Amino acid sequence: FQEMWNDQFKKNKFEWKDVLDKKNVLLYGLSSKFLYPTDKGVDVDIPDIYDIVFDPLMNPVDIESARFIVRQNIFRSLREILADKRYEQKGKDELKIYKDTEVGIVQSNTNAEQFKIKMERLSAMGVSNTDFPYYAGGDVIVNITEHYSLHWNGKEFERRVFVYADDKVPLLDEKLEDLIGVDFWPFVVWM
């Protein structure tokens, strides 16, 4: 297991992610890590401080007390979303129609501008340009928002993940445990 961890540590640049995490704490007083399973183990992402919203009524020393956590400004191209098997076909079809409207085209341009601002902010923090996704000139950029929420199922509260494209088109509504195999919030926060 140690060798697997060492391999993941090098390939996924955990040391750089740790440096970014510490810079967030120094600059903003708070940082978080998003943990998610992959085929080869667990990977770590350090969301930009502007891209994560925690329940304001959450106990600051117990992230499990949060009723919701929102991860926003996850930029993807339309073709990536349409190829992703996790998303519901109904949502993908609705997104294709929405992106062909005048409002959808304007939103795509706004998303491209927001993506550029985010990349400038990360670059100023020392994140290498090679770590940024690149989009072709004709790519339609979509802003994904993931809502990790407590949801009443009629008997008890369960943790669910709701994913929206451009805050309008629902792409996913699934139980957290079914989605990633855990029943705790997949975030770690410096407190």
Side-chain angles (χ1 to χ4, degrees):
F1 287 118
Q2 184 63 48
E3 287 305 314
M4 288 172 57
W5 173 258
N6 291 343
D7 186 53
Q8 290 260 143
F9 190 86
K10 289 177 189 172
K11 285 182 181 173
N12 295 324
K13 302 176 186 177
F14 284 177
E15 188 172 354
W16 287 106
K17 291 177 181 180
D18 186 53
V19 169
L20 180 61
D21 188 42
K22 289 174 180 164
K23 285 182 180 183
N24 275 340
V25 171
L26 289 172
L27 287 171
Y28 305 109
L30 179 69
S31 185
S32 59
K33 292 179 181 141
F34 174 65
L35 309 171
Y36 58 96
T38 64
D39 295 339
K40 298 175 185 166
V42 175
D43 203 353
V44 178
D45 186 26
I46 310 296
D48 189 19
I49 194 73
Y50 296 102
D51 295 345
I52 191 120
V53 179
F54 292 101
D55 176 7
L57 299 178
M58 165 182 95
N59 179 347
V61 295
D62 181 16
I63 196 168
E64 293 302 311
S65 67
R67 296 170 299 155
F68 64 87
I69 301 170
V70 178
R71 191 164 174 239
Q72 56 192 8
N73 297 328
I74 305 166
F75 297 99
R76 301 280 183 265
S77 69
L78 179 60
R79 64 189 163 138
E80 283 179 276
I81 294 168
L82 296 177
D84 197 327
K85 294 178 179 157
R86 293 175 300 167
Y87 300 137
E88 298 170 4
Q89 189 59 44
K90 180 182 174 191
K92 291 189 222 180
D93 293 342
E94 189 178 332
L95 182 61
K96 283 192 282 189
I97 292 168
Y98 169 71
K99 283 301 188 180
D100 279 338
T101 65
E102 186 176 333
V103 174
I105 293 169
V106 170
Q107 182 64 49
S108 184
N109 290 334
T110 303
N111 292 343
E113 291 170 14
Q114 289 175 339
F115 175 74
K116 182 180 174 189
I117 292 167
K118 178 180 179 175
M119 293 304 106
E120 288 171 358
R121 193 169 50 246
L122 289 175
S123 184
M125 298 230 348
V127 177
S128 169
N129 286 350
T130 59
D131 295 331
F132 298 163
Y134 289 99
Y135 297 110
D139 276 344
V140 176
I141 298 180
V142 180
N143 189 347
I144 299 289
T145 306
E146 297 174 346
H147 296 260
Y148 296 81
S149 305
L150 287 178
H151 181 76
W152 182 254
N153 67 8
K155 297 178 185 174
E156 62 184 359
F157 283 104
E158 63 183 14
R159 294 174 189 223
R160 295 194 72 81
V161 179
F162 303 94
V163 178
Y164 295 93
D166 291 334
D167 290 328
K168 292 178 179 35
V169 180
L171 295 174
L172 180 78
D173 173 2
E174 205 166 322
K175 193 173 174 185
L176 179 64
E177 192 170 11
D178 295 341
L179 190 63
I180 62 172
V182 298
D183 192 28
F184 55 85
W185 297 132
F187 295 89
V188 177
V189 181
W190 279 64
M191 296 291 183

